[in-house]
Amino acid sequence: MSEMSDHLSKWVNACVDSAKEFASVALGIEQVAVNGVVAAMPSNQPIALIALAGSQSSVQLGLSASPEACQAISKMLLGMEMDEPDLESGEVADAMGEAANILAGQVKSLMSCVDSSLNLGIPIFIRGQIDKSADSEVGLAHIHIGDIPIGVVVIINSER
Amino acid sequence: MRVLIVDDSKTMRMIVKRTLRQAGYDSCEIDEAGNGKEALDVIKANKPDVILCDWNMPEMNGLELLQALNGQGVKVPFGFVTSEGTPEMKQLAADNGALFLITKPFTPETFQQQLGAVLS
């Protein structure tokens, strides 16, 4: 994470820790591997985004994954078997949004020492490429939840 | 026993239902609402024995729902099931009369502990 500020690194670490907790409790998967952290936006993949805003912070957290990985995560969250029929796109959007919501709640707790005024927004699910603004910082942790590759994204928005 | 689940996420409502079953509450009747405003209508039609409510929802959030119920003198055991579990939110929930705040992600054991204490 040498390209990232210490501040961004704290957020990314909190997200990765929260993703591990999410995987363990919500999905029943203990094995979470971190395969690298980069200062880049995820490539053109669906992403569930949620905002955390406070008096000192304006951050977007995201879970980015392939359509197949989004299906897998959604099914696991709903307690379904992988060989059950695929969920409708709206159901995947809802499930991935909820996954981002759970992640963000944990991050909020972990980062309350940095900013105790953080509030969560309502998650959204986007299919398409997202670009950051020129003066935002971004950190992307490539992780595997079991054998499912997921990108955990932190976008820190600059003050306006 | 009648349970009202209030959450804007259909996924989370399904997860709560599943967890209730896993916690041993498989014989309860379950009503659902997508936000606090809908919940008020559901409560008026069928008063639940316990309300499990998300915090952050559009139209009317969980805290606003609880405050509305307090204002109307509707006395139903109320608990939050939310992704945000900071000490400040737990205190705010308790100050407004919530009996518990369960943080997501949760386990059936957590439901047993919290609901068992309330319903006994």
Side-chain angles (χ1 to χ4, degrees), chain A residues 139-159:
Chain A
L140 169 63
H142 292 288
I143 69 172
H144 271 76
I145 294 179
D147 57 4
I148 302 171
I150 306 271
V152 180
V153 186
V154 178
I155 305 169
I156 295 182
N157 305 307
S158 60
E159 287 181 34

Side-chain angles (χ1 to χ4, degrees), chain A residues 21-22 25-26 76-79 91 94-95 98 101-102 105-106 108-109 112 118-122, chain B residues 7-12 14-15 18 54 56-58 83-86 88-89 103-107:
Chain A
E21 173 78 6
F22 166 74
V25 180
M76 281 193 281
L77 199 53
L78 287 163
E91 292 170 314
D94 184 34
E98 190 54 40
N101 184 40
I102 294 171
Q106 297 271 314
K108 177 184 169 178
S109 291
S112 59
L118 290 169
N119 286 310
L120 258 63
I122 307 270
Chain B
D7 199 304
D8 58 322
S9 165
K10 187 178 171 187
T11 295
M12 185 45 64
M14 290 175 69
I15 293 170
R18 186 181 81 218
D54 187 19
N56 209 15
M57 296 179 289
S83 58
E84 305 180 66
T86 60
E88 294 75 21
M89 286 188 68
T103 310
K104 303 171 188 175
F106 43 76
T107 63

